[in-house]
Amino acid sequence: MDKKIVIPGDLLSENSKKAGYGTYVKNDKIYSLFCGIENLREDKVGVIPLAGAYIPSVNDVVIGVVIVVTPSNWIMDIASPYDGLFHVSEYPRRVESREMPEIMNIGDSVILRVKDVDSSMKVELALRDSNFHKLKTGLVVEVEPVKVPRVIGHGGSMISMLKKETNCSIFVGQNGRIWIDGKDEDMELLSKALRKIEAEAQRSGLTDRIYNFLRSERSKQKESKPAKYFKSRKKETKLPKEGHSEEIYRKIDVLLDPKN
Amino acid sequence: MSDKPDKLITDDGLRLDGRRADEIRPMKIEIGVLSRADGSCYLEWGRNKILVGVFGPREAHPRRLQRADTAVIRYRYNMASFSVEDRARPGPSRRSIEISKVSREAFEPVIMAELFPKTAIDIFVEILQADAGTRTAAINASSIALADAGIPMKGLVTSCAFGKVDGQIVLDLNKEEDNYGEADFPVAMTQDGEITLLQMDGHLTPEEIKKGLELIKKGCKEILEIQQTVLRKKFETPVEEPEAKAEETEIEAEETEPSLEYAPEAAVVEEVIEEAEELEEELSEETTEAGAVTETVPEAEELEEIVKEAEAEVVDGEAIEEAIEAEAEEEAEEETEEEAEEEAEEEAEEEAEEEAEEEAEEEAEEEAEEEAEEEAKGPWKVVKDPSESGSRGENDE
């Protein structure tokens, strides 16, 4: 792999015009600001940091948790040094102050978009789209924000694999909060996998590694509690079977009906 | 203090611990030793033992300390009560407050605090064992912990002291030299050689200082190399590890192997499926509708349902149980079904994967666009990269 690790103060380029993210220019030379991976492109030299806090920027989609309900705002923790403000007027319909806790109370999680961040880092939040995505089921897993791209994978490869292998719905907020929903055992497996992604973020071939991990965990799951697993499976499979055969019987009946 | 040695430097130029005048003590560094801190470092330098935890950028409390345009850097140097021979009185002292201040100022020029307004970056230094030169050791450790925490810095800060012992200028004093020497001169500098901390205790002539600074430059260069190596190693470790990882996967593979034992049974099940399909076909001759049903279930896993339907209708659900050998108990059957399902799935997967790939590609395009944008970000000043847009979040259902 040509992934080069750089540390703060490393010289990246002599051409100051190519300065990208995670770099600074001094005496017309570009140096790194972070411990991270050098990101060399034709026109830009950047550094992808390997650690650091989430700093909100406009149009990020994040998962927030209500920490305070004021008469006009919900103040949200967005896993960042800065709190987010979700103003009541951003809610799709008019809400009286006293109704606000009924819509969202302290501790509720919701998917939001960063509407604006001003120079004093006042973070204004808005709905992601026209829908209000309050998270009522599933659970929220937190990973380091710098590892969010790894969770998504190159071109979304990791996330689609995770979805397929665990049968869970996944939503990744850019602040490192990940909402997952599915069967309990699937969610447990998925959160394990997410932890693994976080721990092995710099490895190459991570998607394959996680795939194998999921597969082996699955077989372990089966071995460890076959009886229980079997019972629950049996119930699930039985029901549609009955439904199906009934339907077929009905169809056969229709076909055999002499009136036709 | 009558235990002062007669000579701090022997006639052949060796010091009490066997070093030459221009040698530093051996240094050992560990990174990421504290799991709750954002960045941490444990450093041993000679007999100094120092633990540093870095937190932040995080919300500054109390709020009156917040700065609207920059982060506040807080540095707390603290000696553990057991760090010296006589118990050190716990809590801040005149000395530790002073050291905290000068050390903080040693870092202010390199930390890009203006990127994180209203926040605080906390550096906590605990001296577990002191043996002279703790402030320099603490700065070296903090520098690494800051980098570990992912705090943007223009470079590492390196620190080292020189002193005058028995009339000679020596690098990096140890306890005896510090206690009985004539001068101590700690310096911290950036990797470009810009001095960010400079103190002096004792008496030195300008010539001695010049000579000492030359020693310091050499010492700091050595320390910087150690710091850089350690940091690079820390972040490279996972890349070097694939061998160990490969073994692990082998073990994993072994672990999963038992499932292969079910393969023959899976084959049996497949046969059963085929039989069932035949039956199904027969059925479909009678009942075109039912046949239509089979056609409308392209997913391999639904073959199972078909089997069951067939069982239910034709073989009365006993076919599989009979076909599978005696040891294929319910459990095994379950497994085999799984296996069969998987195998059947694999066939179907090829197609499905293609579809999935297409889907993934769509997603990928979005991603790629973003990434491209991300890369196209402006210079470092634009930390709030606006292009890292929300569409990455679109990956939900």
Side-chain angles (χ1 to χ4, degrees):
Chain A
M1 290 300 289
D2 52 349
K3 273 198 246 168
K4 193 181 153 206
I5 305 286
V6 292
I7 59 173
D10 276 4
L11 179 68
L12 298 174
S13 169
E14 310 259 330
N15 180 357
S16 66
K17 282 173 192 143
K18 290 166 78 176
Y21 180 76
T23 65
Y24 72 99
V25 177
K26 190 181 165 190
N27 298 335
D28 281 343
K29 287 176 184 166
I30 303 174
Y31 298 89
S32 169
L33 278 175
F34 294 108
C35 276
I37 296 161
E38 188 181 27
N39 188 10
L40 278 178
R41 296 289 143 145
E42 273 175 32
D43 56 335
K44 280 276 183 283
V45 180
V47 176
I48 303 165
L50 292 171
Y54 169 69
I55 303 300
S57 65
V58 176
N59 280 331
D60 279 2
V61 176
V62 298
I63 296 176
V65 179
V66 179
I67 47 173
V68 181
V69 185
T70 70
S72 59
N73 278 296
W74 284 279
I75 300 178
M76 312 283 260
D77 168 43
I78 50 170
S80 155
Y82 309 103
D83 289 335
L85 293 174
F86 182 63
H87 194 258
V88 71
S89 62
E90 297 288 342
Y91 193 73
R93 65 176 172 82
R94 202 183 130 68
V95 180
E96 296 292 330
S97 294
R98 63 190 151 70
E99 288 177 90
M100 284 174 64
E102 287 158 33
I103 292 163
M104 263 195 288
N105 211 339
I106 293 165
D108 288 347
S109 302
V110 62
I111 296 173
L112 293 167
R113 177 176 61 86
V114 177
K115 184 186 158 202
D116 188 36
V117 182
D118 70 9
S119 57
S120 66
M121 297 309 278
K122 188 175 92 178
V123 182
E124 285 179 63
L125 301 168
L127 296 181
R128 186 168 70 100
D129 42 48
S130 49
N131 295 320
F132 178 67
H133 295 277
K134 185 169 157 184
L135 304 174
K136 290 167 189 144
T137 57
L139 56 99
V140 173
V141 181
E142 283 195 30
V143 300
E144 285 175 52
V146 288
K147 284 161 187 172
V148 163
R150 296 276 78 75
V151 175
I152 291 165
H154 192 71
S157 59
M158 176 71 84
I159 198 151
S160 42
M161 186 277 286
L162 288 175
K163 273 181 195 169
K164 201 172 147 209
E165 289 300 312
T166 61
N167 306 316
C168 285
S169 340
I170 308 173
F171 179 88
V172 184
Q174 274 169 295
N175 54 351
R177 288 215 175 108
I178 300 170
W179 173 74
I180 59 179
D181 193 15
K183 273 187 253 160
D184 283 352
E185 62 214 41
D186 291 337
M187 286 201 289
E188 196 187 322
L189 183 64
L190 181 54
S191 48
K192 265 193 208 167
L194 290 171
R195 288 277 152 266
K196 202 172 162 67
I197 294 170
E198 194 182 13
E200 300 179 6
Q202 294 122 281
R203 294 227 173 103
S204 52
L206 188 62
T207 309
D208 293 339
R209 194 169 270 134
I210 298 298
Y211 177 81
N212 292 334
F213 168 77
L214 286 173
R215 278 290 159 106
S216 71
E217 284 291 310
R218 272 271 189 246
S219 54
K220 268 186 222 161
Q221 258 184 5
K222 269 183 242 167
E223 279 162 33
S224 59
K225 40 181 180 178
K228 193 182 158 201
Y229 186 70
F230 176 68
K231 265 178 203 161
S232 60
R233 279 284 297 195
K234 192 87 177 177
K235 262 181 224 159
E236 282 159 31
T237 47
K238 236 177 188 171
L239 286 171
K241 176 178 140 187
E242 277 166 9
H244 246 286
S245 45
E246 231 175 57
E247 196 180 45
I248 291 167
Y249 280 136
R250 208 186 57 240
K251 283 173 183 166
I252 295 170
D253 284 350
V254 171
L255 279 171
L256 297 177
D257 198 336
K259 283 173 200 163
N260 281 352
Chain B
M1 299 278 189
S2 55
D3 52 346
K4 180 186 188 299
D6 298 337
K7 271 183 185 174
L8 287 162
I9 300 178
T10 59
D11 294 333
D12 48 355
L14 288 179
R15 298 201 249 162
L16 288 177
D17 48 12
R19 287 183 289 153
R20 305 217 158 265
D22 61 347
E23 277 179 294
I24 57 167
R25 288 170 285 181
M27 193 183 273
K28 192 188 122 191
I29 302 174
E30 272 178 58
I31 305 180
V33 288
L34 303 174
S35 55
R36 318 255 358 219
D38 295 315
S40 57
C41 175
Y42 172 73
L43 180 138
E44 283 181 19
W45 192 9
R47 278 179 292 172
N48 285 311
K49 291 183 179 172
I50 288 159
L51 190 58
V52 178
V54 169
F55 292 81
R58 62 180 180 183
E59 215 178 335
H61 284 295
R63 291 187 70 163
R64 66 189 151 78
L65 291 180
Q66 288 183 0
R67 299 291 201 82
D69 56 343
T70 179
V72 289
I73 298 165
R74 295 185 289 203
Y75 190 105
R76 179 177 177 269
Y77 169 99
N78 185 50
M79 286 184 104
S81 54
F82 50 79
S83 62
V84 280
E85 269 172 43
D86 300 316
R87 179 176 182 270
R89 199 167 178 272
S93 63
R94 192 213 99 255
R95 177 176 171 274
S96 71
I97 293 168
E98 177 200 300
I99 293 176
S100 299
K101 179 189 177 283
V102 294
S103 306
R104 186 191 73 232
E105 285 168 357
F107 280 104
E108 276 170 349
V110 292
I111 297 177
M112 306 290 285
E114 60 273 25
L115 299 178
F116 308 108
K118 286 184 172 174
T119 61
I121 295 166
D122 287 312
I123 305 159
F124 297 106
V125 174
E126 291 293 320
I127 310 297
L128 304 178
Q129 186 173 295
D131 190 67
T134 50
R135 78 194 69 188
T136 55
I139 288 170
N140 290 331
S142 307
S143 193
I144 294 170
L146 281 164
D148 181 39
I151 289 165
M153 288 196 291
K154 289 179 183 165
L156 299 173
V157 179
T158 314
S159 182
C160 190
F162 80 86
K164 190 173 160 192
V165 177
D166 285 354
Q168 239 184 298
I169 298 298
V170 294
L171 187 64
D172 188 24
L173 304 180
N174 64 27
K175 190 100 196 153
E176 290 76 22
E177 291 167 343
D178 192 29
N179 286 349
Y180 310 116
E182 292 105 84
D184 181 18
F185 197 101
V187 175
M189 56 170 72
T190 66
Q191 56 197 43
D192 299 332
E194 289 166 23
I195 290 172
T196 60
L197 177 145
L198 190 141
Q199 291 181 299
M200 184 169 86
D201 179 16
H203 303 278
L204 291 165
T205 64
E207 287 71 38
E208 283 169 337
I209 292 176
K210 261 182 202 157
K211 196 182 165 198
L213 283 175
E214 286 309 309
L215 280 182
I216 295 266
K217 272 184 199 162
K218 182 182 167 286
C220 281
K221 206 179 151 204
E222 275 177 49
I223 297 164
L224 180 67
E225 269 165 31
I226 298 171
Q227 286 176 314
Q228 287 178 329
T229 327
V230 170
L231 271 175
R232 276 187 228 282
K233 204 176 147 199
K234 194 246 163 173
F235 288 104
E236 269 167 16
T237 321
V239 187
E240 286 166 7
E241 239 177 280
E243 288 163 39
K245 192 59 207 166
E247 280 169 37
E248 259 183 70
T249 43
E250 269 173 46
I251 295 161
E252 274 170 30
E254 275 168 38
E255 276 168 11
T256 49
E257 242 168 77
S259 63
L260 292 174
E261 287 168 23
Y262 300 96
E265 286 143 23
V268 174
V269 171
E270 262 186 304
E271 275 173 41
V272 176
I273 292 171
E274 273 168 40
E275 276 175 45
E277 272 173 327
E278 277 168 38
L279 293 165
E280 193 70 33
E281 273 168 42
E282 280 172 40
L283 241 181
S284 65
E285 276 167 33
E286 290 172 72
T287 63
T288 41
E289 274 287 70
V293 173
T294 42
E295 281 165 18
T296 54
V297 277
E299 287 298 345
E301 59 185 59
E302 277 167 52
L303 277 175
E304 295 298 316
E305 283 173 9
I306 297 163
V307 174
K308 280 170 204 150
E309 282 163 26
E311 277 170 42
E313 287 164 34
V314 189
V315 207
D316 204 18
E318 295 297 289
I320 287 181
E321 259 95 341
E322 281 172 32
I324 293 171
E325 302 299 320
E327 92 268 16
E329 299 290 336
E330 278 187 323
E331 201 183 299
E333 185 206 338
E334 171 56 31
E335 301 271 354
T336 47
E337 271 181 39
E338 277 289 302
E339 280 295 316
E341 219 173 275
E342 264 173 48
E343 274 181 42
E345 232 177 317
E346 267 167 49
E347 287 168 38
E349 239 170 3
E350 277 175 37
E351 284 173 50
E353 256 174 90
E354 269 169 48
E355 276 176 52
E357 263 171 52
E358 271 169 49
E359 270 176 56
E361 262 168 56
E362 273 169 49
E363 270 180 81
E365 269 167 50
E366 272 178 47
E367 281 302 313
E369 271 172 51
E370 269 166 56
E371 269 176 48
E373 276 177 65
E374 208 175 306
E375 276 143 25
K377 255 174 271 157
W380 58 267
K381 283 153 206 151
V382 199
V383 149
K384 296 173 262 167
D385 27 8
S387 51
E388 209 173 303
S389 63
S391 42
R392 188 184 282 165
E394 304 289 324
N395 47 49
D396 67 334
E397 294 307 298

